[in-house]
Amino acid sequence: GPIFHEGRLYVSSNYGTGSALLKLARQGEGLAQTEVWRSKDVQNRFSTMVLNDGHIYGMSEGAFVCAEFLTGAVKWSEKHPNWGNGILADGHLIVLSATGRLEIAKATPEGYSPTTRVQVLGGRCWTAPVLHNGKLYVRNQSTVMCLDLKP
């Protein structure tokens, strides 16, 4: 999905399209757009990137990546055997792979170092996890699971 932040719109697709950042500004009755950058280094298929402290994080063609929001420069790329979906909470990435492996890592441009890696579900997990009041909801095609993340 797109990310809109401070007058800039990040969009991405897969199948060779890549991603781009557009600067939007009012022009008369409409909007003018200026392309800030375009890149094939980040290509999202099923997942949405998240924005944290000037960097975007998410799955891109078999890798979990971090890129600068304003330049598109990739800071790191970690091969990942299964694409997945992630969310951002309190400066941490919470990622559920397509095969049900949950990973939690600090969102930092210095690298991807999960502090938690646990298989929570099997089967096909294509839905992003949902966090509400310290409880993480994950699902596959037949099961919904609630994990208490409170200390």
Side-chain angles (χ1 to χ4, degrees):
I3 297 173
F4 183 75
H5 180 68
E6 295 182 349
R8 290 170 180 84
L9 179 66
Y10 167 84
V11 292
S12 181
S13 185
N14 197 329
Y15 308 105
T17 302
S19 54
L21 187 70
L22 306 172
K23 185 175 181 181
L24 304 178
R26 290 194 184 275
Q27 184 175 14
E29 296 290 319
L31 283 177
Q33 67 181 31
T34 305
E35 186 175 292
V36 178
W37 58 261
R38 180 178 296 265
S39 173
K40 291 191 179 184
D41 292 334
V42 179
Q43 297 186 44
N44 307 118
R45 184 183 310 184
F46 294 101
S47 62
T48 298
M49 302 295 275
V50 294
L51 174 65
N52 184 63
D53 198 24
H55 293 85
I56 52 176
Y57 301 85
M59 293 300 268
S60 172
E61 280 306 291
F64 200 71
V65 301
C66 168
E68 282 185 326
F69 183 69
L70 293 178
T71 67
V74 174
K75 292 299 189 176
W76 51 258
S77 177
E78 292 285 330
K79 287 190 179 192
H80 205 282
N82 295 295
W83 62 268
N85 281 291
I87 59 173
L88 180 72
D90 195 26
H92 288 80
L93 302 166
I94 302 173
V95 180
L96 183 66
S97 79
T99 57
R101 184 173 71 184
L102 179 68
E103 296 181 357
I104 301 175
K106 186 174 180 177
T108 174
E110 280 74 46
Y112 183 67
S113 298
T115 55
T116 300
R117 278 191 173 130
V118 60
Q119 190 72 35
V120 294
L121 287 170
R124 190 179 299 166
C125 304
W126 284 6
T127 304
V130 173
L131 183 65
H132 179 69
N133 286 335
K135 296 189 183 327
L136 184 71
Y137 298 88
V138 295
R139 76 172 185 91
N140 62 18
Q141 291 179 303
S142 60
T143 304
V144 175
M145 179 181 289
C146 176
L147 305 166
D148 191 350
L149 298 185
K150 293 179 185 174

